[in-house]
């Protein structure tokens, strides 16, 4: 699992490689794999040491902006999968990491997706409890 984790970080996630992935489905698979691995505290530590925090928060902010159609204010169906994976990853991290994504997290409180809302509430609760 360590080799898989390192390969995902180095070849698909860090150092601008995320933007090079053209397929939305491939991006989703990368996020799903990272989410599963980051459940483990050792992988969380490796993720943060390799600089994953800044990249993850940057992607979370970008996906959060896409979550709502600017013209109608309605939730966009189909774009929530990546955002949900990222929010789930963030909900496993410590408050000192989460404080950097408060704006997007608060913005997502108005989501109609119950799973995304659950992750958002966990993130905010973690921040408030610290």
């Amino acid at each position: 699992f360590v080799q898989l984790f390192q390969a995902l970080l180095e070849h698909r996630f860090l150092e601008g490689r995320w933007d090079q992935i053209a397929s939305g489905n491939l991006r989703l698979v990368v996020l799903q794999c990272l989410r599963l691995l980051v459940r483990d505290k050792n992988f969380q530590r490796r993720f943060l040491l390799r600089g994953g925090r800044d990249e993850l928060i940057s992607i979370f902010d970008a996906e959060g902006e896409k979550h709502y159609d600017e013209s109608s204010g309605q939730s966009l169906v189909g774009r929530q999968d990546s955002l949900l994976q990222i929010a789930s990853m963030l909900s496993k991290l410590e408050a000192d990491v989460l404080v950097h994504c408060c704006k997007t997290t608060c913005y997502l409180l108005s989501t109609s997706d119950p799973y995304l809302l659950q992750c958002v509430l966990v993130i905010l609760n973690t921040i408030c409890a610290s």
Side-chain angles (χ1 to χ4, degrees):
F1 289 114
V2 172
Q3 291 174 339
L4 173 64
F5 184 72
Q6 288 176 337
L8 283 171
L9 283 180
E10 293 173 15
H11 301 292
R12 296 287 185 240
F13 193 74
L14 296 176
E15 300 173 10
R17 290 190 172 89
W18 178 256
D19 294 328
Q20 297 172 359
I21 301 174
S23 168
N25 288 337
L26 181 55
R27 285 180 177 210
L28 184 59
V29 169
V30 169
L31 287 173
Q32 288 172 332
C33 291
L34 285 174
R35 179 185 56 83
L36 291 172
L37 292 168
V38 170
R39 288 179 177 178
D40 183 86
K41 289 285 185 188
N42 292 322
F43 285 118
Q44 286 179 17
R45 189 172 29 259
R46 287 175 187 253
F47 182 78
L48 296 173
L49 288 173
R50 295 278 295 142
R53 179 196 80 170
D54 294 336
E55 190 73 25
L56 185 65
I57 291 172
S58 173
I59 296 167
F60 182 64
D61 290 341
E63 291 294 319
E65 289 177 13
K66 294 178 192 175
H67 183 66
Y68 289 99
D69 182 13
E70 294 176 358
S71 62
S72 67
Q74 297 297 316
S75 175
L76 290 174
V77 178
R79 290 197 181 169
Q80 299 179 71
D81 291 336
S82 294
L83 188 59
L84 180 59
Q85 299 299 318
I86 297 166
S88 180
M89 287 174 66
L90 286 169
S91 70
K92 307 293 187 250
L93 301 177
E94 302 293 327
D96 61 332
V97 174
L98 300 177
V99 74
H100 298 283
C101 61
C102 285
K103 181 180 177 182
T104 302
T105 306
C106 290
Y107 177 70
L108 292 172
L109 281 171
S110 62
T111 186
S112 60
D113 183 320
Y115 302 111
L116 181 57
L117 181 59
Q118 178 184 3
C119 290
V120 166
L121 291 173
V122 168
I123 292 169
L124 290 174
N125 184 53
T126 303
I127 293 169
C128 292
S130 69

